Amino acid sequence: QVQVVESGGGLVQTGGSLRLSCVASGRTFSTYTMGWFRQAPGKERICVASISWSVDSTFYANSVKGRFTISRDNAKNTVYLQMNSLKPEDTAVYYCAAQPGGATILLSRSSYDYWGQGTQVTVSS
């Protein structure tokens, strides 16, 4: 089993920044595809960013392009989501997901086998 733990959420004002961190267990973390999802009240859980084993292979939802950056540090088994220029529409629970053996960017919730518990991000107007 892979344990996934995310952190870094909080309350910020519109235009502010947060950096989320996610630590996933496993000696083969470098082969994991990692994703960040978010779920707002009454909404579906959607992928906002994903990164494959190749640091050059990334995906961003249109709603966050230019504002969010996903990155990974394989030596620390950690993936990050740097969130800048935050908007009230970004308010959601943010989840980190891991898929061992992933060879490409994964965008579907069902493509990930391991999930963190979520961290709340609230952006006030």
Side-chain angles (χ1 to χ4, degrees):
Q1 295 293 306
V2 175
Q3 285 75 52
V4 181
V5 181
E6 61 270 86
S7 61
L11 173 64
V12 298
Q13 294 183 325
T14 297
S17 297
L18 285 173
R19 189 179 75 158
L20 306 184
S21 299
C22 172
V23 179
S25 66
R27 63 186 180 277
T28 59
F29 174 82
S30 62
T31 71
Y32 297 1
T33 293
M34 302 295 297
W36 285 100
F37 288 70
R38 71 185 184 190
Q39 187 166 21
K43 304 294 184 180
E44 293 294 312
R45 189 177 300 185
I46 62 169
C47 183
V48 297
S50 180
I51 187 167
S52 72
W53 65 270
S54 171
V55 72
D56 294 324
S57 299
T58 58
F59 161 83
Y60 298 97
N62 287 335
S63 59
V64 307
K65 283 182 180 177
R67 300 188 298 119
F68 291 12
T69 302
I70 189 170
S71 61
R72 66 192 298 162
D73 185 339
N74 290 335
K76 297 180 179 179
N77 276 33
T78 301
V79 65
Y80 304 96
L81 186 68
Q82 178 66 47
M83 305 185 294
N84 298 325
S85 302
L86 284 163
K87 306 174 181 179
E89 307 95 276
D90 297 317
T91 296
V93 177
Y94 283 71
Y95 298 89
C96 182
Q99 181 57 45
T104 186
I105 296 169
L106 301 173
L107 310 182
S108 299
R109 180 176 179 177
S110 61
S111 296
Y112 292 88
D113 289 338
Y114 301 98
W115 293 83
Q117 294 299 304
T119 185
Q120 177 71 47
V121 172
T122 303
V123 184
S124 62
S125 59

